[in-house]
Amino acid sequence: TCQVHFESSNWKSLSIKRLTDSRLHGSTGLRSGSQANFFPPLEDAMLPSGSFNNRMALITGGGTGLGRAMTATLSQLGAQCIIASRKLDVLQRTAEEISSQTGNKVHAVQCDVRDPQAVSQCVDQIEALTGLPDVIINNAAGNFVCPSERLSPNAWKTITDIVLNGTAFVTLELGKRLIQNQKGASFLAITTIYAESGSGFVVPSASAKAGVEALYKSLAAEWGRYGHRFNIIQPGPIRTKGAFSRLDPTGAFEKAMIDRIPTGRLGTPAEIANLAAYVSSNYASWMSGAVIRFDGGEYVSLAGEFNELRSVTPDQWKLLEAMIRKTKGS
Ligand SMILES: CCCCCCCCC/C=C\C=C\C(=O)SCCNC(=O)CCNC(=O)[C@H](O)C(C)(C)COP(=O)(O)OP(=O)(O)OC[C@H]1O[C@@H](n2cnc3c(N)ncnc32)[C@H](O)[C@@H]1OP(=O)(O)O
Ligand SMILES: NC(=O)C1=CN([C@@H]2O[C@H](COP(=O)(O)OP(=O)(O)OC[C@H]3O[C@@H](n4cnc5c(N)ncnc54)[C@H](OP(=O)(O)O)[C@@H]3O)[C@@H](O)[C@H]2O)C=CC1
């Protein structure tokens, strides 16, 4: 396993081999704080079986990572799913694997969400396959870490096109057709905790995800009258090949990241799939305009000015308290 701390790392010794380690395919981090024992991840589907019977769900980026896990859970709960992204072979493999496990059909449709014409054709295909969906999960994304001064205009455009424009094209195309057909739907966008705070080194992603949040909050207000709900999940770190290979390619930052998560571990794809299923289900029919942070406490841990005091020992606290109590006046 990777033992390298960023501060002490010798960059030359960081092996790219780590990217192919089996830990990329495991569900939780190999490293975790001892408190993680208090917070074991449950992997089973949480909702009653049949919760999505007779419902159609579109999941963009459903062939891999978190989108795949959401597809598997919705399919297990009875939904007919459509997964859409650029790589048809990946989609078809995932669709076959999930269908054969759940007995419910998963359709694979090729679509580059950056291209509004491709999105429109994709929705034509969906209408022909299943009819308009009841559940839409905008999960497709692109990202990589990069100092902002190294970004080319096309790098900026590529990320913001996938994340913000892609989400808008899918949402508007489906929204218009649903409105025309007087059909209600649940829309869910997957953003990130730094959509709220901003973050250096992922600036196109942070900007685009913030835009997605504004889009979804705005439409929650505007399109309730058409029977449409809009919600947002902000995940904290969950190991997927797509994210970790582009955001921490050497594995050097993983320990520091887990150390700052109060629950002492990464999230798992199954956990976010359960949350996404709940938000998209009729159990959440009164939920709209919600922004749900799902991050093991990482955001508040990063935000609190005094949180570093977690490392102060009980003996050191005795000393500190004595010093503070001794202080008289200002
Ligand atoms: C601190 C530790 C953190 C550890 C992990 C933390 C986890 C928490 C995660 C939080 C949020 C996560 C958000 C996510 O979205 S993760 C999902 C990531 N998944 C993906 O990105 C999958 C899809 N990605 C891709 O297909 C590619 O990576 C893509 C570059 C986004 C798009 O591919 P494509 O359209 O083929 O684009 P090009 O390769 O042609 O590139 C376009 C443009 O961008 C420039 N570019 C590409 N890579 C880089 C790079 N690494 N650095 C700088 N620039 C890059 C490329 O050169 C092109 O520009 P130009 O034409 O000017 O050369
Ligand atoms: N894993 C994590 O820790 C976190 C993830 N997230 C978010 O979760 C979501 C899923 O990420 P994750 O599963 O980790 O990563 P993945 O890389 O596995 O998922 C991204 C998906 O987006 C699809 N995609 C990328 N570009 C396009 C495009 N132009 N058109 C259509 N589909 C596209 C990819 O498929 P294809 O290549 O076939 O197009 C892929 O299936 C993203 O929104 C991400 O921002 C947020 C916070 C943390």
Side-chain angles (χ1 to χ4, degrees), residues 60-68 70 84-88 90-91 111-114 138-143 161-163 190-194 205 209 233-244 246-247 272:
T60 66
T64 65
L66 305 186
R68 180 190 164 112
M70 293 177 215
S85 73
R86 295 165 302 174
K87 299 192 187 96
L88 189 59
V90 174
L91 293 170
C111 180
D112 186 331
V113 296
R114 293 173 283 196
N138 269 291
N139 162 79
N143 200 3
D161 267 354
I162 301 172
V163 175
I190 308 301
T191 63
T192 164
I193 56 172
Y194 61 69
S205 169
K209 293 284 195 185
I233 295 178
Q234 302 174 326
I238 301 174
R239 178 174 293 116
T240 64
K241 183 178 174 187
F244 277 50
R246 292 177 174 90
L247 300 175
I272 195 158

Side-chain angles (χ1 to χ4, degrees), residues 124-179:
D124 289 343
Q125 256 183 288
I126 292 170
E127 280 208 77
L129 282 167
T130 64
L132 289 169
D134 310 273
V135 170
I136 296 111
I137 303 185
N138 269 291
N139 162 79
N143 200 3
F144 48 74
V145 282
C146 180
S148 299
E149 65 274 21
R150 290 173 66 93
L151 288 171
S152 69
N154 192 38
W156 173 272
K157 186 170 168 2
T158 299
I159 301 304
T160 54
D161 267 354
I162 301 172
V163 175
L164 177 55
N165 290 337
T167 302
F169 294 152
V170 170
T171 303
L172 293 175
E173 185 65 39
L174 280 161
K176 288 175 194 170
R177 296 201 203 190
L178 286 160
I179 291 168

